[in-house]
Amino acid sequence: MRGVLAVEAAGAAASSASVLNGAVDWWRDVNESPLWQDRIFHALAVLYGIVSAVALVQLIRIECRVPEYGWTTQKVFHFLNFLVNGVRSVVFVLRCNVQLLQPEHVLLDMPGLAFFTTYALLVLFWAEIYYQARAMSTDGLRPTFYWINGVVYAIQIILWLVLWWKPVRVMVIMSKMFFAGVSLFAALGFLLYGGRLFLMLQRFPVESKGRRKKLQEVGYVTTICFSCFLIRCVMMCLNAFDKAADLDVLNHPILNFFYYLLVEIVPSALVLFILRKLPPKRGITQYHPIH
């Protein structure tokens, strides 16, 4: 009996090892195949293009609904989504040419910084709502938003210039760790102000369909954005120290696909869907951006 069990266990182990080896071989074959590289990067380009088109359509719909309000927070948010995803789409279409540029980090990282600004704008809007509801001054929020973004872009530009002047490994690591820190900062911003706004809405005494819908919107968007920026932070840390997790090379198309799908494409698509409601027409009720 023991001999039979031992034989079965050995067979199961051999089968598992065979499956694992097959998966490793498949991963290596796909990564090293120029055809699969093109297919995966073009698939990313198409997905980014779809999200960009959706954001543009939503921006046009909002402009047609309330043209008299100018560039509201909602319109800027959708415009930046259109811009970020559009640039990403173009970069992945031209991925082979981008790889030849020195340093290629500029074209790969700039849309990521713009993605940070896009969703930091949402944090700013929530912070303004929270402080206004508690009768607190919001005068310093927008200057702080501009100041934070200015510092982030200035530091990143300095790192790019240093990398262009002398592309040493230490500076590459510093650039990626800085990006990881920015992503962690954004995740904490969503956790702080999204969580505060969610708890505040929960304490409202009036139970209504509008309140429940707003509570769900804030909860879903907070969870999605916190998760995507946290995943980006973790992946950038791995990317900085582990060459097997390098996102800046052509021979890691599968890793690139799942990374950008999880941290940008899916979150952007979900947030655009959740915030798809158009503002009310003028004269019906007061207009507030990003409802």
Side-chain angles (χ1 to χ4, degrees), residues 199-248:
L199 293 175
M200 185 183 72
L201 289 170
Q202 271 191 327
R203 290 195 294 266
F204 276 7
V206 179
E207 185 68 25
S208 66
K209 183 179 178 180
R211 173 189 171 275
R212 289 196 302 271
K213 183 174 176 56
K214 194 62 182 176
L215 193 65
Q216 290 174 349
E217 286 182 3
V218 173
Y220 290 151
V221 173
T222 298
T223 303
I224 292 167
C225 293
F226 171 77
S227 300
C228 86
F229 279 107
L230 189 62
I231 292 171
R232 183 192 289 272
C233 174
V234 173
M235 283 301 300
M236 290 307 297
C237 290
L238 293 174
N239 185 13
F241 297 102
D242 188 354
K243 289 186 177 180
D246 195 351
L247 297 163
D248 298 335

Side-chain angles (χ1 to χ4, degrees), residues 7-279:
V7 170
E8 290 180 351
S15 178
S16 299
S18 177
V19 171
L20 181 61
N21 290 333
V24 171
D25 291 339
W26 174 83
W27 182 282
R28 184 176 60 250
D29 292 342
V30 170
N31 279 335
E32 294 176 356
S33 168
L35 178 62
W36 273 106
Q37 290 173 11
D38 289 342
R39 286 176 177 176
I40 290 174
F41 289 131
H42 288 162
L44 283 172
V46 170
L47 292 173
Y48 273 113
I50 292 172
V51 176
S52 178
V54 170
L56 179 60
V57 169
Q58 187 68 357
L59 174 62
I60 294 172
R61 292 177 67 208
I62 296 169
E63 179 62 24
C64 292
R65 176 66 71 93
V66 285
E68 65 274 11
Y69 286 103
W71 281 97
T72 62
T73 306
Q74 188 181 30
K75 291 179 184 178
V76 174
F77 176 76
H78 283 90
F79 174 74
L80 288 176
N81 261 300
F82 157 70
L83 195 64
V84 169
N85 288 283
V87 171
R88 280 286 194 209
S89 180
V90 173
V91 168
F92 278 112
V93 168
L94 305 174
R95 190 69 171 83
C96 293
N97 295 326
V98 170
Q99 191 71 31
L100 299 176
L101 297 177
Q102 292 296 330
E104 75 275 9
H105 302 286
V106 176
L107 284 177
L108 295 175
D109 292 347
M110 180 57 79
L113 283 180
F115 186 85
F116 163 76
T117 300
T118 302
Y119 286 86
L121 187 66
L122 193 55
V123 175
L124 169 67
F125 179 70
W126 283 355
E128 288 178 335
I129 293 177
Y130 178 78
Y131 284 125
Q132 288 171 0
R134 297 179 66 88
M136 300 169 65
S137 174
T138 61
D139 293 342
L141 290 178
R142 285 188 177 268
T144 301
F145 170 81
Y146 297 135
W147 181 82
I148 290 174
N149 276 272
V151 170
V152 167
Y153 279 81
I155 294 175
Q156 186 62 74
I157 289 171
I158 291 171
L159 290 172
W160 284 336
L161 291 174
V162 174
L163 279 171
W164 176 73
W165 174 62
K166 195 172 184 180
V168 295
R169 177 65 181 168
V170 174
M171 293 308 303
V172 173
I173 292 175
M174 286 182 61
S175 179
K176 292 179 178 180
M177 289 305 297
F178 172 73
F179 208 79
V182 169
S183 300
L184 180 61
F185 180 75
L188 294 177
F190 272 103
L191 188 63
L192 177 63
Y193 286 106
R196 283 181 172 183
L197 189 58
F198 183 84
L199 293 175
M200 185 183 72
L201 289 170
Q202 271 191 327
R203 290 195 294 266
F204 276 7
V206 179
E207 185 68 25
S208 66
K209 183 179 178 180
R211 173 189 171 275
R212 289 196 302 271
K213 183 174 176 56
K214 194 62 182 176
L215 193 65
Q216 290 174 349
E217 286 182 3
V218 173
Y220 290 151
V221 173
T222 298
T223 303
I224 292 167
C225 293
F226 171 77
S227 300
C228 86
F229 279 107
L230 189 62
I231 292 171
R232 183 192 289 272
C233 174
V234 173
M235 283 301 300
M236 290 307 297
C237 290
L238 293 174
N239 185 13
F241 297 102
D242 188 354
K243 289 186 177 180
D246 195 351
L247 297 163
D248 298 335
V249 294
L250 284 172
N251 58 358
H252 290 165
I254 302 175
L255 182 63
N256 274 268
F257 181 81
F258 286 108
Y259 171 76
Y260 287 106
L261 193 70
L262 288 175
V263 304
E264 288 188 359
I265 295 173
V266 171
S268 295
L270 290 175
V271 170
L272 288 173
F273 176 76
I274 293 169
L275 303 180
R276 67 192 182 279
K277 182 181 176 182
L278 292 176

